[in-house]
Amino acid sequence: MKIICIGRNYGDHARELGNAVPEEPVFFLKPTTACLYPGQPIRLPELLGEIHHEIELVVMIDSYAKDVPASMALGLIASFSLGLDLTARTLQNELKAKGLPWEKAKAFDGSAVLGEVELPMTASTDLQSFTLELKRNGTTVQKGSTRDMLFPVAELIAHVSRYITLEPGDLFFTGTPAGVGPIAEGDLLEGFLNGKRLLNVAVAKG
Ligand code: ZN
C-alpha cells in the first residue's frame, strides 16, 4: 500500500502559493508511516516549523493496475473519504528554492490524516461534484468544489498508473483547494464533504 498525493490540482491553490498551473498532474508519495488514523491526534514536531492543513478528497484503490485508461480508472475505486495532506510549508519552500525533493516537508510521520468515515464508491457516485470544506475551530478556512480540479480523478489515476503499478489499498490524495494555512496546538479540524462530516481530528497540546 502506498499514498499518492497530487499537487497543484486546483488552479486557485496553485496561484495562492505562486506556482504555475501544471500542464499534467504533479504527484509525490508518502510512506505508510505517514498515516494518522481516526482517533489519533496530530502532533507538531518542533523541527518541522509551520505546518499547513490541506483538505483533500481521498480515494482508495482496490486492485492491481498498470497503464489504466482514464475511461476504466473509476472502476478501480472501492471507497472515498477526506484527508489532510499536512505540509511543513516553510521547510517545503526552502527545499523548493534549492530544487530539492519535498519528502521532509510532506512525508513525515502523521502527515496523511485519514477521515473517520469512508463512503463506498457506487455506479451513481460523481466524484467531480463534491463540495469540500475544512473548519478550524468552527470557522471555515478552506472550501472548494471537486468540479474545479484541473485533472479529474479518472485522469489522475490513469496518469500515475503509467509510471507506478497501483496496488489494493493505495490511497490517492487528490489535491487541495485554496485557503491553506497553519495549524496550532489545541486546534480542532473538521472536514466536510457535501456538508457531511467525514474527518475530525485534534492537534495535541504541548
Ligand atoms: Zn496536497
Side-chain angles (χ1 to χ4, degrees), residues 6 54 56 85 106:
I6 309 298
E54 296 190 357
E56 310 202 357
D85 165 21
K106 282 285 197 181

Side-chain angles (χ1 to χ4, degrees), residues 9-27:
N9 199 27
Y10 291 80
D12 57 353
H13 168 63
R15 285 184 286 272
E16 79 179 338
L17 295 183
N19 292 315
V21 172
E23 285 167 15
E24 59 173 37
V26 173
F27 69 88

Side-chain angles (χ1 to χ4, degrees), residues 108-141:
F108 56 89
D109 289 353
S111 61
V113 181
L114 303 174
E116 60 198 340
V117 181
E118 252 178 59
L119 301 172
M121 183 77 181
T122 69
S124 60
T125 305
D126 179 3
L127 297 175
Q128 304 308 142
S129 69
F130 292 150
T131 300
L132 308 183
E133 183 176 6
L134 180 70
K135 289 186 181 178
R136 179 184 178 209
N137 303 324
T139 302
T140 299
V141 285

Side-chain angles (χ1 to χ4, degrees), residues 5-8 13 28 30 54-56 84-87 106 173-176:
C5 298
I6 309 298
R8 307 173 190 172
H13 168 63
F28 55 94
K30 294 187 191 238
E54 296 190 357
I55 189 77
E56 310 202 357
L84 290 172
D85 165 21
L86 295 182
T87 304
K106 282 285 197 181
F173 278 62
T174 60
T176 197

